[in-house]
Amino acid sequence: MRVIHEGRLGTNNQSFNVLRLSMEHIEPILELQQSVIEVLENKEILQPLSYEEFQYILEGKGLMIGAFTNKKLIAFRALLVPPIDEEHLGWDIGLTEEELPGVIYQEISNVHPDYRGNGLQKLLAACIMQELDLLEPKYKYVCCTVAPFNIPSLKDKFAQGMEIAALKEKYGSRLRYVFVKELKKDSTEKEWTFTTRRMDDTAGQQELLKQGWKGFRMETHEGTQWVEFRREVQ
């Protein structure tokens, strides 16, 4: 099995490696996900995947990689090729039906509670995007959803250069940011205008997003989370 990355954990200097995951890893994947759920104070911020959903990805509708130390799975990250249906995130960011096959999702990302603080989430993000470049067909957009106030996940998405394109109820009635990153983006210099909204100001953020603003960064001021938005100057 090809090793994608080798390194050492910063907390204890243990060696680890990153591999592509397959159906033979399904039980460790489910066990790791359960370990993460058990320590969450707010269970609403994580949308766990079922056995069938992991199977769908592992059997060819996406990509999963995992970090192992002493043959133990300690972190994983997934990309999902979504079905084209009414729930597709491409609709939420304004794509046409013809553009939807060019979208892949950043799915669940879990790090075992005992191994946090080693930068594994960020490392796996870089590794899985490198692996994505090897896949066929080629994708143009990466999308995902994140719950407001899920600060670690929001930081993770912003660090990857993803932007908030929508804020709406998904998965029934759960409020979620819809993030997007254009993979083959125009690199020409652009002029931007900026503004901010409190993270708890749902209506204010939604109004900006309708006007074409994108959330690109978050800040904390005196204990309050703010989202920074930008829009290209026409």
Side-chain angles (χ1 to χ4, degrees):
M1 190 174 294
R2 181 172 63 89
V3 176
I4 297 169
H5 177 87
E6 292 181 291
R8 289 193 172 272
L9 300 173
T11 54
N12 59 15
N13 204 38
Q14 268 186 297
S15 64
F16 72 94
N17 53 32
V18 177
L19 308 172
R20 286 276 290 267
L21 300 181
S22 64
M23 276 301 293
E24 70 180 86
H25 302 109
I26 188 72
E27 292 304 328
I29 288 168
L30 291 167
E31 290 170 10
L32 175 51
Q33 178 176 248
Q34 189 56 38
S35 297
V36 170
I37 292 170
E38 286 172 0
V39 300
L40 283 177
E41 291 183 21
N42 178 9
K43 304 288 194 286
E44 291 289 306
I45 67 172
L46 179 68
Q47 183 73 19
L49 299 190
S50 65
Y51 180 102
E52 291 74 20
E53 287 170 320
F54 281 121
Q55 183 179 25
Y56 178 83
I57 296 170
L58 292 167
E59 291 186 342
K61 292 296 185 177
L63 168 67
M64 283 192 75
I65 62 173
F68 293 82
T69 184
N70 295 327
K71 298 186 179 180
K72 175 185 177 182
L73 181 65
I74 59 172
F76 65 75
R77 192 151 199 151
L79 294 174
L80 166 73
V81 178
I84 306 295
D85 58 19
E86 66 277 3
E87 289 295 315
H88 198 286
L89 298 181
W91 299 120
D92 300 321
I93 64 171
L95 298 184
T96 64
E97 186 170 0
E98 291 71 29
E99 292 175 298
L100 299 185
V103 175
I104 193 165
Y105 290 0
Q106 260 201 23
E107 257 297 342
I108 198 164
S109 172
N110 280 175
V111 177
H112 192 285
D114 293 345
Y115 293 88
R116 289 176 182 164
N118 287 288
L120 289 171
Q121 189 174 32
K122 184 176 181 180
L123 172 70
L124 291 185
C127 289
I128 205 165
M129 295 310 289
Q130 289 172 4
E131 291 297 294
L132 177 60
D133 285 341
L134 304 177
L135 291 185
E136 292 291 346
K138 298 300 182 186
Y139 295 93
K140 187 173 181 182
Y141 302 95
V142 178
C143 290
C144 69
T145 61
V146 180
F149 299 101
N150 182 349
I151 303 304
S153 191
L154 289 170
K155 286 181 177 178
D156 172 64
K157 302 303 177 283
F158 286 130
Q160 294 180 63
M162 301 187 80
E163 294 182 311
I164 296 169
L167 175 58
K168 60 189 300 184
E169 289 186 348
K170 304 290 289 184
Y171 318 119
S173 59
R174 295 181 176 182
L175 191 65
R176 292 291 188 266
Y177 289 117
V178 180
F179 277 84
V180 63
K181 181 176 183 178
E182 191 171 347
L183 296 175
K184 306 297 181 186
K185 205 167 185 178
D186 179 8
S187 60
T188 56
E189 281 293 319
K190 296 179 180 178
E191 187 178 351
W192 303 96
T193 183
F194 302 90
T195 189
T196 60
R197 291 292 184 275
R198 286 171 57 122
M199 195 175 289
D200 60 5
D201 180 7
T202 299
Q205 293 175 89
Q206 288 174 328
E207 186 57 36
L208 286 179
L209 292 163
K210 284 179 187 175
Q211 295 170 13
W213 295 80
K214 296 283 197 306
F216 74 103
R217 192 161 59 199
M218 57 177 283
E219 298 285 347
T220 302
H221 299 295
E222 297 178 351
T224 300
Q225 277 81 33
W226 294 76
V227 179
E228 297 186 43
F229 292 84
R230 66 183 180 183
R231 183 170 65 179
E232 189 177 351
V233 176
Q234 301 298 323

